[in-house]
Amino acid sequence: MPKIETTIADKGWHFIIALSQTRSVKSEALYLSTPPSRQWCHIDTFFRRHRRLKWDTVRLQTSGNKRTRMDLRIRHTTGYLRSVGKVELVCSERRNRPDGRRKYLPCNDLRATPRQIVTGYRLRWSVEVFHKCVKQNIGFEDVATHGFDAVVSHVHWVYCAYILLHMAPPGLSPGAQSIGEKQRALQQGLAAREKRQILQKLTQIGGVQRYTEELRQALEIGLQCPVHRKGPFHQRRRRG
């Protein structure tokens, strides 16, 4: 993890991540008065020792359909993350769950407020939902290409499909909320349209004969395909 964080910092970017309880940190005072290899402590121990840091309450809007509020209480200070550098350190937990899991968040943007850090970390859930959605519903993982350019094209097409579904295509029921529901509704609509076209052909004068002829021609083309000629059916016929 330190390599990822230092790489992000070297690029001139900012990061907000969640630390495990065993990541080593140090206060500003200790960093300036002790050798670089000493006086580091685990971040959970660090916040237990610095009880003088007061708790502040932050109220955030949740991203669900109900739009409820979530109250957090946070403590924060400036310190040093081992092998990374100077960061803003935030200890966060649910206000109505004092025995729940605490989160320790560092951010290398020293101008960021604790509220911005917590809000930024909350936004990562939208990214997780996005990746879950494109994997489950739009075939993000179903790629059988070999070239890198083909993989890039596949990723772009999946992203375009997600954007179009997210924009609610015309004719889609407003009751469809998730991407999966929208996709199933579109598939049902397309299937119904094909059925309507078939029924329209069959109800025309001579429609049954024309549709039968189209099916016969399609079957002949399919049997003339090289893949079908090499199939087990033709092999059995040659053996007979």
Side-chain angles (χ1 to χ4, degrees):
M1 284 297 294
K3 291 183 178 180
I4 297 176
E5 294 146 11
T6 52
T7 300
I8 294 173
D10 291 342
K11 291 286 186 179
W13 302 335
H14 298 144
F15 62 78
I16 301 173
I17 59 174
L19 297 177
S20 64
Q21 296 180 356
T22 57
R23 287 296 297 272
S24 297
V25 295
K26 187 186 290 190
S27 66
E28 281 191 285
L30 279 177
Y31 187 84
L32 296 174
S33 60
T34 58
S37 60
R38 297 183 180 180
Q39 297 295 322
W40 295 95
C41 68
H42 294 167
I43 190 167
D44 61 335
T45 305
F46 175 85
F47 276 102
R48 283 202 305 268
R49 290 177 178 175
H50 292 75
R51 297 185 182 275
R52 59 180 178 79
L53 298 174
K54 67 175 184 177
W55 290 100
D56 294 324
T57 301
V58 175
R59 178 169 292 178
L60 302 177
Q61 291 282 351
T62 60
S63 57
N65 296 328
K66 296 182 178 180
R67 291 290 180 181
T68 59
R69 293 180 177 179
M70 179 176 61
D71 290 338
L72 301 175
R73 64 174 195 161
I74 60 175
R75 302 163 68 194
H76 64 93
T77 186
T78 303
Y80 284 82
L81 182 61
R82 190 168 192 174
S83 303
V84 177
K86 193 174 185 179
V87 293
E88 289 292 323
L89 297 172
V90 175
C91 173
S92 169
E93 66 181 15
R94 295 287 290 268
R95 187 178 180 184
N96 57 349
R97 298 180 185 175
D99 297 329
R101 181 183 175 186
R102 289 183 178 179
K103 292 188 181 300
Y104 303 102
L105 310 175
C107 177
N108 64 332
D109 184 0
L110 302 179
R111 299 169 300 175
T113 64
R115 182 185 180 86
Q116 290 174 335
I117 294 173
V118 175
T119 304
Y121 182 75
R122 285 282 302 170
L123 291 176
R124 110 277 181 215
W125 181 246
S126 300
V127 180
E128 298 290 341
V129 172
F130 164 74
H131 282 103
K132 179 182 178 180
C133 180
V134 296
K135 289 177 182 178
Q136 290 185 348
N137 301 310
I138 317 182
F140 185 76
E141 294 180 323
D142 302 332
V143 54
T145 57
H146 299 285
F148 182 77
D149 291 339
V151 175
V152 172
S153 297
H154 174 78
V155 172
H156 287 172
W157 280 117
V158 169
Y159 287 0
C160 288
Y162 177 86
I163 293 172
L164 291 174
L165 287 172
H166 191 70
M167 293 173 62
L172 198 64
S173 171
Q177 297 293 334
S178 67
I179 296 296
E181 292 175 347
K182 293 179 181 179
Q183 186 184 37
R184 288 189 292 271
L186 283 176
Q187 290 174 347
Q188 293 173 0
L190 292 174
R193 182 181 299 177
E194 292 177 357
K195 291 179 181 178
R196 288 196 299 269
Q197 291 176 351
I198 294 173
L199 291 174
Q200 184 180 9
K201 288 183 179 180
L202 293 176
T203 54
Q204 294 173 352
I205 299 176
V208 176
Q209 291 78 9
R210 287 198 301 271
Y211 192 68
T212 303
E213 182 64 22
E214 291 179 5
L215 291 176
R216 186 184 63 79
Q217 293 177 1
L219 288 172
E220 289 180 354
I221 294 174
L223 291 174
Q224 292 173 3
C225 180
V227 175
H228 289 281
R229 288 204 299 269
K230 295 179 182 179
F233 174 74
H234 290 84
Q235 292 176 2
R236 286 197 297 270
R237 290 185 60 184
R238 286 199 296 269
R239 290 188 191 129

